[in-house]
Amino acid sequence: MINYDGKRFRKVLKDPADDAPTALYRQRGDLVWAEFAGGDVRRGSLAGTRDADGVISFSYSMVLDDGRVISGHSVNTPEVLDDGRIRLHERWERYGADADSGISYLEEVR
């Protein structure tokens, strides 16, 4: 069973040299939460639950550099990479004026 406590994740970008938000995940039982910043995100947080297969369902909110406040929901399915790190396949949905949806990938940073 995957324990996310203390693991750091960063969005996979086409150019790894680009700045992207990095999140530090915490976990207690099935409760998972994180804070993140970087790239165009001044500050963000997420909170949700993890199921027995390690799938995390959470809500998130963030404040961007331009002052916009974004909120949404995401479901993250883990994949263990050959080197033992975790890749999260993230299906996300944004609400409000910036409504959108998509798929992103986050990888554990060591």
Side-chain angles (χ1 to χ4, degrees):
M1 183 176 296
I2 295 174
N3 185 333
Y4 292 98
D5 194 52
K7 295 188 183 304
R8 299 174 68 79
F9 289 89
R10 182 179 187 267
K11 183 176 180 179
V12 176
L13 300 175
K14 290 180 183 180
D15 183 352
D18 286 345
D19 190 22
T22 301
L24 174 61
Y25 282 49
R26 306 304 296 178
Q27 180 179 334
R28 184 169 296 126
D30 69 339
L31 181 64
V32 178
W33 67 97
E35 293 190 5
F36 56 94
D40 65 345
V41 177
R42 289 170 48 194
R43 182 153 176 95
S45 63
L46 63 88
T49 56
R50 183 214 65 202
D51 70 14
D53 294 324
V55 176
I56 306 169
S57 178
F58 62 76
S59 63
Y60 64 88
S61 63
M62 58 187 161
V63 178
L64 303 182
D65 285 341
D66 64 8
R68 286 182 295 151
V69 177
I70 307 291
S71 63
H73 178 263
S74 178
V75 176
N76 294 260
T77 303
E79 168 193 1
V80 178
L81 301 173
D82 291 340
D83 63 5
R85 293 178 307 125
I86 299 168
R87 175 183 292 145
L88 296 173
H89 298 253
E90 177 179 63
R91 287 181 296 132
W92 53 268
E93 180 180 11
R94 233 181 257 159
Y95 308 134
D98 293 293
D100 200 359
S101 63
I103 296 174
S104 298
Y105 300 93
L106 307 171
E107 285 186 359
E108 183 178 354
V109 178
R110 290 191 174 151

